[in-house]
């Protein structure tokens, strides 16, 4: 016997692979089959009609009922709970218990609940506290009650080549191919009290503002504003909804969709800017480096071209 | 002594009914009362001021605190968790612990949480992972966090005599009293990735289509369309929202509300059909057995009556 | 001549049916054709390429342009207005004017507007003031701008519905009874392209900011934040939704609901501020006069009272 | 005198340009100024303090009040109505009437109402029946009560280079750079009774279907499905909401957003298809050329690459 | 004769007050009565059964039909349009034309449309382009299509006295085939200030209540309540949303959907009532003839059958 | 050794404070540190790198993993579950486990799940069954999956001095300073089947009604109604939405916002009442002590003043 059973454990089966450890107050019934290099923690209970693969971790407080099949490299978090009857009644047994299949490398989070008859797909990740009511596809990450897919373990990046339309993903600054125009992803601090997005002037935002303005209640998607400034810097953020911004230095042009409260665009002076495709709930926040001065505006694109060239 | 206590269990009470079994690592305090033919599984803990009826199943990892009263034939799933204090603080005890009453034949799903002071009604069913914050009425089925009623155990069919208005419940075909007109409930496959409704032509749908059309953005409920076809079969499904359809063979008439993406109506040729009462979000999908042919339409009801009689 | 022309009318056509009356200041061009028993009221104008059926009533102030065809028994209410060009430009004429066809027994309500190229179906009823942008089916009753079907001539009940309007409060500053705390109503410029709210720093906003932050996605109304600053000024605006702010100088306290994108509150240093009762869609914009500095925060109300007294 | 005044008109001014015509029952007061080549139709009334430019058309039933300024090439539709007092009371006159300025080449639709003090911008187009409550920007098209911008007269196409993301605009078929994959914009027939989208199989849709399915209630945007077929053609339409589809032939890849009930994508056999970014209300309709056959599915991308290469 | 008639006008009545002026192309029929100091502008038309007060301004393009009564100091804007028939058909006349009453000092904006039978209250202001479908209260300002109140002219301290325009569903009582159970459609009085539904106890409601209760926030459609009373009458109304009620006398059963604030059901004693299918926004108002008494409730259907048989 | 270890427990550490008790089947690893007067219940498991303060209660079925720090006076409910790895995979360990910090006097409800790396703030309260995904602020009460703040343990009442605007909080009657006007907070019974608000006439409501009415679909916030009664008592409740009521006895005036279905105002005879600021969804329920009698209404405020003085 090359596996370990704690003196306070009760391991009634012999079908245990090498290197497996069974800890205190765990109880395994006689017909269960446990693979190699497993870890069966304190207060675990395993019934007879159970097959566990190799390198499986079963944390404290878990029970594996008749009909559970666990493949290799699976992690089962503490107090995760399985079921094998959709409509349990005391002393009334279904013709056949509904089994649960946990595929290779899947992980089941702490205190998750798995409804009967489901398959937990390969490498999937069930979040802590999730109540899983439908089978989980391979590689899916699921959370909540009932559990829903919130992503995939190996989200491929091939999907991210969005042509000319740049989208913010992680903090930092992106230089566009339009002279001086930069895209800024600002800090976000999520918290039980809500989310907080912060920008410091002359640090995150490349200037100190003398003015801000808000654009909202834009009646239709077709509504459009456009102009350039001679001296004024602008920094635009779509605090709600989305707005498309075209930046143009007279030679190159780039379109950006602002759609997050922590994603902004810096338009330096002598950049022709167009804002349009406002979503119905859009609120655009603009910081400007100068007070309002009508003579600073260039409102005709042909005049703009003359000035920059 | 006619009850069984596993050698690794700790049963400090004598008040245990015949036929009851207490399994490994369970612990029952001296003043608890347990009925007949119960099953107290591994790692269960039962305090003193607890009364358990007959034929009760208590799965692994459950604790019954002072104040819990369990009637007969109750099922308590693994890791289901009880409470007896709304606002627990360490070392501070309420004047009186709030009891929990579980009525006859109720079932509490795996890993459910029961807030203090509640009654779990007769024959009710608490779903796995539910967090129960209000008393559960008899026969109710509750799920979610917080738990909500999603149905009743013994949903009576007396409620289903809806006069002329037929509603789809389970898969299959219903013949109406209008000649050739059938109602089809198609397969739905719910899945973590969404729901899928499927129809195969010449199998589920009684013909192969040469054309489909979609009706949407119907501005008002009063808007109405009506006509018959000479040769064309139609199959109508309200993919979103609801639409009322009247089918009329010249002698009999039936009104059906289409309101599910898997519930369709087959209108064979020479059936007068009226569509109206579109909900604001309605999308009606129609399969037609023929290409468009203006001469196939009968647009006047009096002409229709002449043709069918 | 068996028809009547008022002495102040100008009827240049002979093609007028028996029993028709043409009233004062009406003007009919030479090639128009008017049926029997019609009533052409004061100030009506009828062009050449117009055919009017029998028993038609044309109330005052109506013009019938080239291309209008009016069948029998039609009623055209006063000041009802027709068109024959989708995109009229002065002195630019389409290849062909778009005609309007009004079918038998239709009625067009007072002051209704009929877009070009449409058919107004038999016995239909266009409501007073309606702007008709699509052809009207037979027997339909249409009202509104744009006109929508609200019923059919031969079905019983009919009702109406629609949207709202926005109002700006008066600009300015209100002093509260809390030391240094002021309420600011900022400029709003409503415009066909949306609304614009503007604030200038050191002018409308009583300081120049070194930092801004946005608070959003606050999960529940009960969520609360509170603290004071030693040196930092803050200016708060609820850009979306509403937030309640309590300002407290250690002796007096005032609660203000921020609920407009142009309404802000200035909290000077050593003001205890509480933000709570966030609506689910609230976005709070805060300008701060200083960069982030943990030592500037007073997070305990008792410490705050010590500092201010 | 080189202008024409109808014998039934009353033209009290001499300031009328050459080529202008004044028609029956029109009335122009003595101090009005009218430009060249204008057309003043029947029942028009023009006050004294009015200046009208050249080549202006004023259709029947229009009044131009003191304070109206009309530039050149303007079109004013029949019964279009101007105002010059926000709060008119009988016999109470404002200190100054609010003027209306209509810029060059603007058009005002039939029966439109123009509130006082507004400017109607150059080349703008006010829709028939509109009630204009705010100034209209140059080139804007406005309709409704109150009038809102629905587009611009000369919408430039420079904004339409959306990179890899193709959007449907007008009927027809677009070939993508993925082998055999085509985008289909199907017919839509808008009507007062709602909109109708139609597709004929073997004509608009490139095959006859043996099966359809609907995907709906997709719980989260992150949810994703992907596979290829060996023999089955598929045609996908997002009937409600939006879905992103990636089509991949093993060498090239294209992403398309389906977001209209009349915009579909044809995926021929041996195309790897990914569906994701379902909006919460999305309903995806899929036509398949074959009955369901598990062996027709290729579910692994690596196997797909082997098969196609 | 101390009033002025333009030489191009046609004034057939002598009943014109001193100081009144009638302008070019206006036409007044012989029996009309016009007060003092009025201004009747170009292209106005006034029928016979019309009475106009003193100091009234009637701008160009207006017609006053038989039945219009205009009090003193009224302003009627250009092209404002009146009506006197809800359902005009050519050559078909109502038994009596619906009059319009315009009270002292009211103003009607340019191009507004006034539906028949309405009263335009004292000093009220109808906005330009408004389509007025309900009587306008004194001092109210109304705009839009249909017109809605957006404010009051000068914070008046007197409101009310509306007369006319009361619209209701078909009021009355329906007997069901369940013993003693009746359906009641109560009065509704729609008004520019909102809708009012009224019930009088012992008259409309068949008893005097000692108790009422409201049921709301019902979490799911599946939630169900049912019981009978021994002595207590109940009257149920769904004030918001909808609720299905099944009434059962032990032999017959009827299902009714309550979905209007003026539609109620009376359940006499010894009627088994089931409430279910609450819409998510449903609020059920119940009047009960007795105070709460637990012994009055029959909660088991089998007991109910025993009691009634 | 002054602490207690049950004979069936396994306590491998010596670092246990005086007065602490360790119960059956609990297991504590050798390097754990446990404070004084703690209670470690049955089936608890504590790893090595764990520090527990004084007077801590750890209920059955809990595990404390390496990295957990528990301060003094903490309560951890039964089956509450901790984690220390965001992305657990069997046999793959993070560079460092994420610790959990539970501050003084915090309580963690039964069966709650705590994600890794969080701080549970001082005196906070995590509800039973909660899944905590973000750190919990001091004193916050959090529930749900994911957990959200629903209140604070020590909600201060200083926020409740709302000037003239009274808000209902707990059951009972408030006397206003207007003669005879009282505010009534009625019973609410929340239940799994929805919420129930109950009022008994002549008990909770100070009279027996002869009439009720409902006001709804009030079109705009500016709409206002006002009058007094000579003999009729009224009792008003906003069943949905909110309505502001001003009560005035001729000398004093108070404004109250009705915004809950269990909060009403009693207006005795000779009280001038104004209702306004209806929210768009408002439904106002009014009980009246008399049948409708036009002579009972005082509609002019000046007449009202004469009557009451």
């Amino acid at each position: 016997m090359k596996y370990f059973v704690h003196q306070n454990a009760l391991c009634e089966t012999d079908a245990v692979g090498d290197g497996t450890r069974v800890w205190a107050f765990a109880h395994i019934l006689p017909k269960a089959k446990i693979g190699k290099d497993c870890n069966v923690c304190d207060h675990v209970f395993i019934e007879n009609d159970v097959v566990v693969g190799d390198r499986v971790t079963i944390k404290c407080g878990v029970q594996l009922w008749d009909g559970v099949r666990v493949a290799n490299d699976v992690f089962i978090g503490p107090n995760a709970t399985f079921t094998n009857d959709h409509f349990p009644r005391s002393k009334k047994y279904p013709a056949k218990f509904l089994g649960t299949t946990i595929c290779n490398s899947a992980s089941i989070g702490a205190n998750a609940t798995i409804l009967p008859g489901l398959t937990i797909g390969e490498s999937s990740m069930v979040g802590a506290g999730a109540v899983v009511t439908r089978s989980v596809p391979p590689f899916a990450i699921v959370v909540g009650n009932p559990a829903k897919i919130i992503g995939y373990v190996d989200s491929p990046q091939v999907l991210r080549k969005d042509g000319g339309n740049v989208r913010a993903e992680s903090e930092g600054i992106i230089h566009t191919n339009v002279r001086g125009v930069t895209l800024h992803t600002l800090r976000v601090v999520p918290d039980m009290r809500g989310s907080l997005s912060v920008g410091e002037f002359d640090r995150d935002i490349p200037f100190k503002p003398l003015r801000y303005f808000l654009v909202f209640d834009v009646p239709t998607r077709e509504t459009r504003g456009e102009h350039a400034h001679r001296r004024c810097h602008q920094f635009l953020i779509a605090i709600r909804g989305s707005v498309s911004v075209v930046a143009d230095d007279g030679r190159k042009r780039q379109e950006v969709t602002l759609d997050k409260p922590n994603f902004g665009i810096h338009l330096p002076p002598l950049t022709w800017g167009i804002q349009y495709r406002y979503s119905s709930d859009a609120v655009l926040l603009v910081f400007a480096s100068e007070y309002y001065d009508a003579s600073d505006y260039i409102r005709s694109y042909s005049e703009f071209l003359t000035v920059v060239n």
Side-chain angles (χ1 to χ4, degrees), chain A:
Chain A
M1 172 172 135
K2 297 173 172 173
Y3 60 92
F4 164 77
V5 176
H6 190 282
Q7 61 179 11
N8 290 59
L10 202 59
C11 183
E12 307 183 37
T13 182
D14 287 344
V16 178
D18 290 1
T20 286
R21 290 164 297 163
V22 178
W23 294 97
F25 309 121
H27 185 187
I28 306 180
L29 295 195
K31 295 182 182 161
K33 293 187 179 63
I34 312 294
K36 293 184 296 184
D37 295 320
C38 290
N39 197 17
V40 178
C41 298
D42 285 51
H43 307 111
V44 164
F45 175 73
I46 299 180
E47 281 197 308
N48 284 300
D49 179 18
V50 173
V51 180
V52 173
D54 300 336
R55 293 173 306 281
V56 169
T57 298
I58 306 170
K59 300 292 286 181
C60 300
V62 170
Q63 305 90 25
L64 301 182
W65 311 111
D66 286 345
V68 173
R69 295 291 176 274
V70 181
N72 298 324
D73 300 304
V74 167
F75 175 91
I76 302 175
N79 291 340
T81 307
F82 294 89
T83 59
N84 59 10
D85 185 355
H86 259 304
F87 219 77
R89 288 301 191 199
S90 190
K91 304 287 169 179
K92 291 176 185 166
Y93 307 104
K96 184 176 182 311
F97 281 112
L98 288 161
T100 300
T101 300
I102 309 174
C103 300
N104 285 334
S105 300
S107 292
I108 295 176
N111 215 10
T113 308
I114 312 297
L115 274 281
L118 304 181
T119 295
I120 308 302
E122 184 187 337
S123 296
S124 64
M125 175 69 66
V126 173
V131 177
V132 180
T133 61
R134 294 174 173 190
S135 287
V136 178
F139 299 97
I141 304 170
V142 308
V143 306
N145 180 357
K148 294 181 179 177
I149 298 173
I150 58 158
Y152 290 86
V153 166
D154 63 339
S155 205
Q157 59 273 69
V158 286
L159 298 179
R160 294 282 136 165
K161 309 183 234 162
D162 315 43
N165 205 355
V166 181
R167 290 189 157 270
E169 293 296 313
S170 58
E171 223 175 293
I173 298 180
I174 296 170
H175 288 267
T176 70
N177 61 6
V178 181
R179 190 194 51 238
V181 172
T182 45
L183 307 178
H184 298 244
T185 302
L186 298 156
R187 261 164 299 157
V188 175
V189 188
D191 185 282
M192 177 93 46
R193 285 162 301 187
S195 293
L196 186 79
S197 174
V198 185
E200 296 196 333
F201 298 112
D202 261 3
R203 294 179 179 178
D204 306 308
I205 313 297
F207 55 85
K208 281 208 190 94
L210 287 182
R211 188 166 54 115
Y212 79 91
F213 50 91
L214 294 162
V215 181
F216 53 98
D217 287 351
V218 175
T220 54
R221 279 184 84 76
E222 290 75 10
T223 305
R224 200 175 77 214
E226 51 187 305
H227 64 263
H229 284 280
R230 294 179 199 277
R231 287 176 310 278
C232 186
H233 291 256
Q234 289 194 305
F235 192 88
L236 294 75
I237 307 170
I239 282 174
R240 275 267 149 167
S242 64
V243 183
S244 289
V245 175
V246 177
D248 178 337
D249 60 12
R251 276 173 304 175
K252 288 184 180 161
R253 198 168 245 258
Q254 180 130 13
E255 178 162 351
V256 175
T257 300
L258 303 181
D259 59 358
K260 293 180 177 177
N262 68 317
F263 182 60
I265 185 169
H266 173 216
L267 303 181
L270 294 179
T271 307
W272 186 257
I274 306 174
Q275 295 92 45
Y276 77 133
R277 288 191 191 155
Y278 286 82
S279 66
S280 62
D281 62 340
V283 180
L284 182 69
L285 170 62
V286 181
F287 295 116
S289 68
E290 310 293 329
Y291 288 128
Y292 177 76
D293 172 5
S295 71
D296 189 52
Y297 284 74
I298 306 174
R299 295 199 178 277
S300 140
Y301 188 69
S302 57
E303 183 189 348
F304 168 72
L305 288 179
T306 307
V307 171
V308 296
N309 294 323

